[in-house]
Amino acid sequence: MLADSLSGNGRVALVSGPVGCGKTELIHIFAEIASKAGVRFLKATCAPAERLLPFGVIGQLLPSAPGRMARLVASGLSVIDPRVPEHVMMLNDVCHAFTDLAAEGPLLVGVDDLQHADAPSLDCLLFLARRIGTARILLVLSENDRPRSPFHGELLRERHCRRVRLGTLTRREIGVLSGALGEDLHRLSGGNPLLAHALLEDHAATGGLTGPAFREVLLACLQRADPGVAALAAGLAVLGEDTSPALLGRLTGVDVPYLLRGMENAGLLCDGWFRHPAAASVIRDDLPQRDLGELHLRAARLLHDQGAPAVDVARHLAAADRPLAAWAAPVLHDAAEHALREGDVDEAVRHLERAVRTGADDRRRAATRSRLARVEWRTSPATAARHFPALLTASREGLLGCWDNVSLLRQLLWHGRLDEAEEALERVRASGSLPRTVELWLATCYPRLAEDGCPLDTPSTLTADPWARATTALAQVLTGRCSGEAVVTAEQILQGARANGVSDYRVAALLALVYADHLDTAATWCDRLLAAASGRRAETLLALLAGTRAEISLRQGDLRDAAQRADTALGLLAHQGWGTNLGFPLSCALQAATLSGRLDDAARLVELPVPEAMFETRAGVHYLYARGQHHLATGRHHAALADFLVIGELVTSWRLDAPAFVPWRTGAAEAWLRQCSPERARFLAEEQLSLTPDGRARGIALRILAACEEPPRRLALLAEATEVLERCGDRYELAKALGELSRAQHALGDQRRARMVLRRAWHVARECDALPLCRELLPDEHPHSPCHTDALSGAERRVAALAATGHTNREIADKLFITPSTVEQHLTRVYRKLNVKDRTDLPTDMASSA
């Protein structure tokens, strides 16, 4: 074509193809070749911003415009009318300007991105193309692929006009360009040469197939493509991969099918989505924040109107980052509930925070804030407290519903804000809408606020509400009416409990089992709930469960486990976050440290500040009991007695005086014994016995009562005490009772049995990690001294272990399913190998070595 034009046969080349496929580069390379042949090069680059600028392209090609054209432009001409003679003469003037230049020497006229050219310039170029046949002019026009227009029809009718089509590179061609990277490069660029070179540039700079070069080229491709392409790409980047063409069209208002085909032909898309994984984020990041937010907001409304899931709509509402209308509030609320079901508490909080800021009415906004506070409570009660001012205001204005008021009441009480809680409580009571379950819960947790004469004996275990059933079961146990029905109800509740949420009804059910001395059952359920709640962002529930598990271990005499569980609970929530419930884990940690002999640790725990309001709660009673035990262990008997008697006053006035709750009477009795007042101790022990037909509290009372009796009477009481304590599973109290039993047997002259029972007591105390009790029982034995039993066989170790803890041959035979004669044979060999005379000389830690 160049050769033809040099010989006086003008030619026109229309170069078309997808954006980024080398049209501009082709013109530049051709211009370099033509320049070497002495051809003058005139170039114009069209831009979208100049589309409405009349003769903008011609002005770039002809620095000195013909006079007629200048006059018409000055007069405001924007459309050329071929019926107006002066317009036709102006076209002829422009054509002569080019042919005059060609008369001086061969001319190459290049116009890039013709799709953005203004209409008058297109008319001039078309006029030139018709009259170029005898001029030494090569007219090269480049454009992106676009629908055929009248301009194309007129231009391509000319026999000296030729169309040149460019396309993307094949896999083989990309492989030649990039070598080993060919497959990945073709997949990410779609064969688009401009994108492929940009990715190679990024790879050379960073080692990866993404970077600043890719970003700049991608955005340039979108800007140079058809006007609707940038809008379509932005809409696609906002809606995501799974959107539909119909929704994309409603969002962007462009011809989606046509533009999608063009983007796929350019290698930008594959199956309707960006080939490069970073493309969508590059496009979103380039949009002005206001435009991006508006797109997300429109997308959210469109999705909502077509019934899309709330989580999809909420994603766009979140990205919009601007004030939202009232319609968005229920959507965000539903999305928050979905996030909670998936265990994503942080996402739920973000949705609810946006819902609070919507244009919803005050009542809806108050309900949403109440829900937000409950969700934040799952992970941090201290954080949830930030909503108290707004919620209290809403409560006073009557904007909160009954259960939202109850939720606020419970949170205020947790944090010890008793005056504000009482105000909210009276407001709900005055409305007549306070459920009986709330009154019952108050009576068992915050008795001072309970309604005078609140009936604690009206059963409501038939209700379907698990909180009501659990609260009723707990109340039955705390008031000393521990029926089998309460235990069965608690287990039924735990069987249907879910792992998520913050409701403490599971903890109430567990405590009903604990206070009813069903410790093994409570431990099993607590461990299951802890395992189910782990990893679900429910720190408050985990902390409550860990504290409950610590209480169970403490009552089972496992001091080491109780200490670890209590530390875990205290670590899950800050002390401020525990509020008035701090007494639960703190009392376990304090009592475990005291009984284990870690008195320095216990002293530090006693010095920790606690909320004053805690002492008006059930948690405060636990704390007072643990502090009383610490006072006993450190010789402050009067202080211990004061704490135990305060407990008595509190639980009596609260009508929660079940010894299984906190055995304050035996605590006070032990303090009286230390002060040499056995009669007062006897009175309290007998009173506790009259209240407890069975269970841990009865075993403790029997041991205390035995200390007030003479040795003959003492023996029977202690035998019953050990039997009761072994049955209920309290190993620490069992060790104490066995120690007292050994002393009673010794006083009665039964030295052999006394030694056996004493060794068993020492062994049990050692298992509990009760080092002070170990030293009291056998001062010369070291709890951690090794037992050299390497010479024994496995069967001999098992027999010796049971013999060392005081079991008879018959009992050993029954436990190991062997005959008594086999037991005797094993023991004979054990005595010989360990060089001892009989079972009373066996090492006390024989059982642990087995």
Side-chain angles (χ1 to χ4, degrees):
M1 295 181 73
L2 178 60
D4 288 343
S5 65
L6 290 176
S7 64
N9 297 309
R11 293 289 184 265
V12 179
L14 179 61
V15 182
S16 63
V19 65
C21 287
K23 300 182 295 295
T24 302
E25 187 67 16
L26 178 63
I27 291 178
H28 288 166
I29 293 174
F30 191 59
E32 291 178 5
I33 296 172
S35 297
K36 292 177 182 178
V39 178
R40 183 179 181 181
F41 179 44
L42 300 180
K43 184 193 176 190
T45 300
C46 308
E50 299 178 358
R51 183 173 293 172
L52 299 180
L53 178 63
F55 301 100
V57 176
I58 299 300
Q60 294 183 57
L61 296 172
L62 298 174
S64 179
R68 197 187 311 273
M69 187 183 87
R71 288 194 305 273
L72 289 174
V73 171
S75 67
L77 176 69
S78 60
V79 177
I80 295 177
D81 187 349
R83 296 170 298 179
V84 178
E86 190 173 13
H87 290 187
V88 176
M89 294 173 64
M90 185 269 295
L91 290 173
N92 191 59
D93 291 345
V94 172
C95 181
H96 277 297
F98 284 104
T99 57
D100 289 346
L101 289 174
E104 299 173 6
L107 192 64
L108 172 63
V109 180
V111 180
D112 196 17
D113 286 336
L114 188 70
Q115 70 274 9
H116 298 312
D118 62 279
S121 292
L122 288 175
D123 289 336
C124 291
L125 292 173
L126 187 58
F127 194 91
L128 175 62
R130 294 194 189 103
R131 288 157 179 78
I132 207 172
T134 59
R136 291 187 298 170
I137 299 176
L138 175 58
L139 179 59
V140 181
L141 309 174
S142 78
E143 65 175 1
N144 292 336
D145 285 335
R146 57 177 176 152
R148 189 180 179 89
S149 67
F151 174 84
H152 294 104
E154 292 292 328
L155 183 66
L156 295 175
R157 283 174 53 193
E158 302 298 327
R159 62 182 183 82
H160 53 267
C161 179
R162 180 180 173 186
R163 185 164 200 146
V164 179
R165 302 189 68 89
L166 300 181
T168 55
L169 302 178
T170 65
R171 281 185 173 82
R172 186 182 64 79
E173 291 167 337
I174 289 287
V176 172
L177 177 68
S178 60
L181 294 174
E183 189 65 30
D184 289 339
L185 204 64
H186 188 272
R187 175 174 52 83
L188 295 175
S189 69
N192 186 297
L194 198 58
L195 286 174
H197 279 97
L199 291 172
L200 283 175
E201 182 181 337
D202 286 331
H203 186 269
T206 66
L209 288 175
T210 186
F214 167 76
R215 179 183 184 280
E216 294 302 323
V217 167
L218 174 64
L219 295 176
C221 286
L222 297 177
Q223 291 162 4
R224 293 181 60 187
D226 287 344
V229 168
L232 178 69
L236 192 58
V238 164
L239 287 173
E241 184 173 1
D242 298 326
T243 189
S244 67
L247 180 62
L248 190 57
R250 286 196 293 273
L251 177 66
T252 60
V254 300
D255 186 352
V256 172
Y258 165 70
L259 293 177
L260 283 177
R261 284 195 302 272
M263 293 180 73
E264 296 217 6
N265 291 337
L268 301 176
L269 302 181
C270 179
D271 295 330
W273 183 243
F274 299 104
R275 284 181 172 272
H276 199 292
S281 62
V282 166
I283 294 167
R284 287 193 299 267
D285 292 344
D286 185 63
L287 288 171
Q289 196 62 37
R290 181 179 183 83
D291 294 348
L292 181 62
E294 184 62 30
L295 268 177
H296 277 295
L297 194 58
R298 287 167 52 203
R301 190 62 203 237
L302 288 170
L303 287 168
H304 176 261
D305 290 346
Q306 71 176 28
V311 289
D312 295 338
V313 180
R315 177 171 60 85
H316 292 289
L317 291 174
D321 193 26
R322 60 188 56 208
L324 302 173
W327 67 266
V331 173
L332 291 167
H333 196 279
D334 290 346
E337 296 303 319
H338 180 272
L340 288 177
R341 289 193 295 272
E342 297 297 317
D344 193 344
V345 176
D346 293 337
E347 182 71 6
V349 167
R350 287 191 288 270
H351 287 319
L352 290 171
E353 283 178 334
R354 293 185 195 100
V356 168
R357 296 193 297 268
T358 63
D361 62 82
D362 291 343
R363 186 175 297 277
R364 176 79 192 202
R365 195 157 46 244
T368 302
R369 186 179 294 278
S370 176
R371 182 60 176 142
L372 173 58
R374 293 197 298 276
V375 171
E376 287 184 335
W377 194 271
R378 294 172 181 244
T379 56
S380 174
T383 301
R386 68 192 176 107
H387 300 288
F388 285 168
L391 288 174
L392 282 167
T393 299
S395 178
R396 292 176 184 126
E397 294 175 357
L399 298 175
L400 291 181
C402 172
W403 285 108
D404 285 337
N405 270 310
V406 170
S407 175
L408 174 60
L409 168 67
R410 297 180 67 181
Q411 293 177 27
L412 289 169
L413 289 173
W414 177 290
H415 283 289
R417 299 171 68 158
L418 300 185
D419 292 340
E420 292 165 317
E422 194 164 10
E423 173 197 338
L425 177 61
E426 291 308 316
R427 197 160 35 245
V428 183
R429 278 179 177 153
S431 69
S433 61
L434 188 68
R436 177 196 170 277
T437 302
V438 178
E439 293 285 7
L440 189 61
W441 174 79
L442 287 170
T444 58
C445 298
Y446 300 92
R448 184 173 74 80
L449 296 183
E451 192 173 34
D452 291 339
C454 172
L456 296 174
D457 55 351
T458 303
S460 63
T461 55
L462 295 179
T463 178
D465 180 10
W467 185 48
R469 299 180 69 208
T471 303
T472 301
L474 180 59
Q476 289 175 337
V477 176
L478 287 174
T479 53
R481 301 184 317 281
C482 180
S483 64
E485 179 188 0
V487 173
V488 170
T489 298
E491 287 200 69
Q492 289 174 344
I493 292 167
L494 293 170
Q495 287 171 356
R498 295 180 294 116
N500 59 337
V502 294
S503 174
D504 59 358
Y505 72 85
R506 286 153 293 196
V507 178
L510 284 171
L511 288 175
L513 294 175
V514 171
Y515 296 147
D517 285 332
H518 287 251
L519 299 178
D520 289 341
T521 303
T524 299
W525 280 113
C526 194
D527 290 340
R528 290 179 185 175
L529 289 173
L530 279 166
S534 296
R536 296 188 64 91
R537 290 302 317 278
E539 281 82 351
T540 303
L541 175 60
L542 281 169
L544 288 169
L545 290 172
T548 304
R549 190 63 178 85
E551 180 69 22
I552 294 169
S553 294
L554 185 65
R555 289 173 180 246
Q556 290 177 322
D558 191 344
L559 304 181
R560 184 181 291 106
D561 188 67
Q564 292 173 351
R565 303 276 189 173
D567 287 344
T568 298
L570 290 169
L572 283 166
L573 296 179
H575 283 201
Q576 180 185 3
W578 273 102
T580 57
N581 285 273
L582 178 61
F584 284 118
L586 189 57
S587 65
C588 293
L590 174 57
Q591 200 166 347
T594 299
L595 301 182
S596 297
R598 295 181 288 108
L599 295 182
D600 289 342
D601 292 342
R604 283 191 291 271
L605 292 170
V606 167
E607 294 300 320
L608 289 176
V610 295
E612 187 64 29
M614 182 187 78
F615 294 101
E616 298 187 46
T617 71
R618 187 157 38 85
V621 169
H622 280 275
Y623 177 80
L624 285 172
Y625 185 79
R627 192 174 71 178
Q629 292 291 339
H630 176 67
H631 289 327
L632 277 180
T634 53
R636 287 172 287 186
H637 306 142
H638 288 89
L641 180 62
D643 278 345
F644 294 135
L645 293 179
V646 167
I647 294 172
E649 293 175 3
L650 289 174
V651 297
T652 303
S653 65
W654 296 344
R655 295 180 295 157
L656 302 178
D657 191 15
F661 169 28
V662 173
W664 66 270
R665 290 177 176 83
T666 48
E670 196 153 2
W672 282 122
L673 284 174
R674 302 281 181 93
Q675 297 177 59
C676 301
S677 297
E679 290 307 315
R680 291 180 173 178
R682 181 199 302 274
F683 173 78
L684 290 171
E686 289 176 342
E687 187 177 37
Q688 183 159 307
L689 281 174
S690 68
L691 297 172
T692 53
D694 196 10
R696 177 173 171 270
R698 180 174 182 82
I700 298 172
L702 287 167
R703 177 179 62 80
I704 296 296
L705 183 59
C708 304
E709 300 287 350
E710 295 298 323
R713 169 69 175 150
R714 189 181 304 166
L715 198 63
L717 292 171
L718 290 170
E720 183 184 353
T722 56
E723 181 182 346
V724 171
L725 291 169
E726 189 160 21
R727 186 168 58 248
C728 70
D730 189 336
R731 305 286 288 167
Y732 177 79
E733 285 295 339
L734 174 62
K736 292 185 74 172
L738 287 171
E740 293 296 329
L741 178 60
S742 174
R743 293 188 186 95
Q745 291 168 336
H746 186 274
L748 294 174
D750 191 350
Q751 306 298 330
R752 182 174 177 277
R753 186 169 293 277
R755 289 181 62 187
M756 290 176 57
V757 173
L758 182 61
R759 286 182 176 277
R760 185 183 176 200
W762 186 93
H763 167 68
V764 175
R766 181 177 179 276
E767 285 183 339
C768 295
D769 199 36
L771 303 186
L773 183 55
C774 287
R775 288 191 291 269
E776 178 186 336
L777 294 170
L778 290 174
D780 297 331
E781 292 282 355
H782 193 283
H784 301 299
S785 60
C787 178
H788 303 288
T789 60
D790 296 343
L792 302 182
S793 68
E796 290 167 351
R797 284 195 188 95
R798 289 189 290 273
V799 170
L802 292 170
T805 56
H807 290 83
T808 66
N809 287 1
R810 171 60 64 183
E811 291 171 339
I812 296 172
D814 292 341
K815 285 180 177 291
L816 299 181
F817 302 102
I818 56 179
T819 64
S821 62
T822 303
V823 173
E824 291 179 7
Q825 293 170 22
H826 282 317
L827 286 175
T828 300
R829 288 192 291 270
V830 168
Y831 299 155
R832 183 177 68 252
K833 291 178 180 180
L834 297 183
N835 194 26
V836 297
K837 293 181 178 180
D838 55 30
R839 69 181 64 208
T840 60
D841 294 326
L842 289 171
T844 52
D845 58 348
M846 175 67 73
S848 61
S849 70

